[in-house]
Amino acid sequence: MKFASLVAKPDSMSNDEFASWFLGQHLPKFRESATMFQGCVVRTRTDPLGGQGLSGLGWTGPIPDPSEIGACDIVMETWLPSGEDFRREIMPGEERLREVGASFASYAVAPYLQKDPRLAEAGAAGRRPEVTFISTVKWQKGIDPEFAVGEWAQHTAIALRRQPILTKYEQNIVSEIMSWTHGYPIIDAYGDFAFDKKDDLVSKFRVSNEEIQDAGQFVGLSEVTFFGDAQTFRI
């Protein structure tokens, strides 16, 4: 099973300070008690658009309030045999996040890889992405979640036709909420997208009206956060 933790830094730390603490102090602590947990991939937030966010990429829709979709400074993804393994091995360590004042929500998710990044990474000219972004999603209010998932699957054809510059397109559907801090907004899904180079995002990626109109049939709220390439942590 795949699990994802979306974490917002405490107000008392800068983004770089929190990333350093998370990678250098929080994750190594898991080595003391890990059995099934063998490692994870972590991404830390970046700002390739100089604070413009989606508005710098052609987005004309509403920007959600942080109380509706929370900020996300770190994404941690891991794979374990069951939800019980997550509860036993990961959840006790999440108390450290609470102690420093971080907010988070952890989920069991079902991943659907629609464009495999290994196609861009393979061979002598292959390379890891410079920029990725996570699009956290809440479905339209009152919509059947199964209908929303199906609509997003169909939306993929539009997205990949409009955005050939993407090197990865993955949909992650929340199947269970594992843990969270009080007041941190819960999501229904998140998209994981990658770009070979920062300039591909800045110069070549623009959100089209066709994508906005089609996604509006099932997406109620969406927030985009930019990250660097995934870093691997091993126990």
Side-chain angles (χ1 to χ4, degrees):
M1 294 179 66
K2 180 179 179 179
F3 300 90
S5 298
L6 280 58
V7 187
K9 70 177 184 64
D11 293 338
S12 60
M13 293 187 187
S14 69
N15 187 54
D16 289 344
E17 289 171 339
F18 184 59
S20 178
W21 174 84
F22 193 96
L23 295 168
Q25 298 184 50
H26 174 60
L27 288 181
K29 284 284 188 180
F30 285 108
R31 292 193 174 104
E32 298 174 2
S33 58
T35 55
M36 299 300 294
F37 178 49
Q38 297 298 307
C40 59
V41 294
V42 177
R43 276 172 284 182
T44 59
R45 184 168 58 85
T46 61
D47 185 15
L49 300 180
Q52 292 185 79
L54 270 181
S55 61
L57 299 174
W59 176 255
T60 58
I63 303 298
D65 186 274
S67 65
E68 298 173 307
I69 293 188
C72 178
D73 300 300
I74 285 180
V75 175
M76 168 181 154
E77 296 173 316
T78 192
W79 291 259
L80 288 164
S82 70
E84 194 57 40
D85 293 305
F86 184 92
R87 293 183 182 94
R88 184 182 63 253
E89 302 217 1
I90 305 300
M91 283 177 59
E94 291 180 333
E95 189 59 33
R96 291 190 293 275
L97 299 175
R98 293 185 173 91
E99 289 172 356
V100 299
S103 301
F104 67 89
S106 293
Y107 308 92
V109 298
Y112 297 89
L113 187 60
Q114 306 287 12
K115 186 172 185 178
D116 194 332
R118 290 172 294 185
L119 296 173
E121 296 168 11
R127 52 183 286 158
R128 295 285 300 175
E130 284 187 359
V131 178
T132 62
F133 75 73
I134 297 294
S135 176
T136 48
V137 172
K138 283 188 174 182
W139 305 135
Q140 287 273 12
K141 290 183 179 179
I143 199 172
D144 181 353
E146 290 189 11
F147 172 81
V149 171
E151 288 296 298
W152 196 10
Q154 294 184 46
H155 176 78
T156 302
I158 296 174
L160 292 179
R161 171 170 52 81
R162 283 288 191 171
Q163 309 297 349
I165 201 66
L166 289 172
T167 59
K168 178 183 181 181
Y169 190 105
E170 182 183 73
Q171 299 157 332
N172 292 272
I173 311 301
V174 172
S175 57
E176 184 178 355
I177 304 165
M178 305 301 297
S179 57
W180 66 96
T181 52
H182 177 72
Y184 190 76
I186 299 301
I187 61 171
D188 296 307
Y190 69 90
D192 180 357
F193 313 105
F195 299 84
D196 185 17
K197 302 174 184 177
K198 174 184 173 180
D199 186 62
D200 291 339
L201 167 68
V202 175
S203 301
K204 301 176 183 178
F205 179 84
R206 292 294 180 271
V207 182
S208 67
N209 287 333
E210 182 183 13
E211 291 169 285
I212 293 172
Q213 291 170 6
D214 186 70
Q217 299 180 70
F218 58 95
V219 173
L221 291 171
S222 178
E223 178 69 292
V224 165
T225 308
F226 299 99
F227 296 87
D229 189 15
Q231 303 176 60
T232 302
F233 172 80
R234 291 184 173 87
I235 296 296

